[in-house]
Amino acid sequence: MNRTDTRPRAVEIRGLNVCLGGKRVLRNIDLDIGTGELVALIGPNGAGKTTLVRAILGLVPAESGTVRVLGETNLRSALPRVGYVPQRLALDVGLAMSVREFLALRRPSTRNWFWRRHAELDATLPPIADELGTRLLLDKSVSTLSGGQLQRVLITFGLLDNPELLFLDEPTEGVDAPGERTFYEIISDIHRAHRLTVVLVSHDLSMVHRHASWVVALNGRICCEGAPDEIIREDALREAYGLHVTPYHHHHHDPTAQGHDHGLDHGHPHVH
């Protein structure tokens, strides 16, 4: 977000420092996320992307600095208006809870799901449950879901209360390539349709380039930020990744093509 932009900010961070296990993970983070933006956090493994999201949500303590979410410095006041989809969810393989029951836990009105009829619970699900295919999974046990199915359920869970701000930490983890493209397209559609502010952690630079409105490159500190065309290029990425970066050509498969992989040539950098 341009520092001169006067639009309301969904997130404001000043001088944020975070230490975990005696190691400084985030250093002097200053960041503004504008309302209605789809912001992608990129950077190498261990860059602190997940830690930044968790610090914004108050899930890890800050050594110093301030965080304001949806205008609130008291995160408890803001959290009911925030959705969060973590990178991984550790589930007990013996968990007998169905997807329907898991989703019902999100809302006070349906938390006592064991007293409610299935049809009554299902009627409370938003349209996103159909868009993501979650409604088809309602009778399945959460512990038996595939990686892609679980991510669909978690995204639905994060959107149940129509949040103003949604954090997605690697939402396509464990999803195959066609499913990954579908996820990003759905998230982009949700962002536009609901004028939702989305903060997305991703390693997929092609999808970031296609869908994000603003990109923040992180490696313990903010290395650079800007529009996708400014950041998803060799010189900017080298600063963040500290590695050799060369352009590669990313083609999107056209199922109507006969034996050929035709598509748009994006020429996005590839990180080695």
Side-chain angles (χ1 to χ4, degrees), residues 167-189:
F167 290 90
L168 298 162
D169 191 356
E170 292 285 357
T172 57
E173 180 80 12
V175 181
D176 60 17
E180 185 172 321
R181 286 196 293 273
T182 300
F183 266 105
Y184 279 106
E185 286 157 6
I186 290 172
I187 290 164
S188 182
D189 288 345

Side-chain angles (χ1 to χ4, degrees), residues 14 20 50 155 257:
R14 295 292 180 270
L20 296 176
T50 294
I155 292 173

Side-chain angles (χ1 to χ4, degrees), residues 65-220:
T66 61
V67 177
R68 186 185 297 269
V69 177
L70 298 174
E72 302 278 359
T73 52
N74 180 353
L75 291 180
R76 286 184 177 274
S77 299
L79 287 180
R81 299 152 62 197
V82 176
Y84 172 46
V85 179
Q87 184 175 5
R88 293 182 182 87
L89 183 67
L91 295 172
D92 185 340
V93 293
L95 184 67
M97 183 177 291
S98 70
V99 169
R100 177 183 291 105
E101 293 158 355
F102 176 73
L103 294 175
L105 293 175
R106 180 73 172 90
R107 291 171 157 171
S109 61
T110 58
R111 197 164 290 158
N112 295 325
W113 51 263
F114 40 84
W115 299 114
R116 313 294 284 271
R117 295 177 183 274
H118 285 182
E120 187 180 355
L121 292 174
D122 296 355
T124 68
L125 294 175
I128 188 62
D130 296 299
E131 294 176 50
L132 285 165
T134 309
R135 198 178 290 274
L136 301 174
L137 304 172
L138 291 175
D139 292 312
K140 286 183 171 288
S141 171
V142 173
S143 62
T144 64
L145 298 177
S146 68
Q149 289 172 334
L150 180 58
Q151 289 304 95
R152 290 172 187 273
V153 170
L154 291 177
I155 292 173
T156 304
F157 188 90
L159 288 167
L160 279 179
D161 283 332
N162 299 310
E164 299 171 42
L165 173 61
L166 177 65
F167 290 90
L168 298 162
D169 191 356
E170 292 285 357
T172 57
E173 180 80 12
V175 181
D176 60 17
E180 185 172 321
R181 286 196 293 273
T182 300
F183 266 105
Y184 279 106
E185 286 157 6
I186 290 172
I187 290 164
S188 182
D189 288 345
I190 292 167
H191 164 249
R192 286 194 302 267
H194 299 277
R195 297 179 181 176
L196 185 67
T197 305
V198 177
V199 179
L200 170 74
V201 175
S202 180
H203 285 289
D204 191 325
L205 301 185
S206 173
M207 292 299 168
V208 165
H209 187 273
R210 179 188 273 186
H211 296 294
S213 58
W214 195 256
V215 181
V216 178
L218 191 71
N219 195 348

Side-chain angles (χ1 to χ4, degrees), residues 1-2 4-9 34-37:
M1 176 175 173
N2 191 309
T4 62
D5 196 326
T6 58
R7 284 176 298 170
R9 291 172 169 87
T35 299
E37 296 279 355

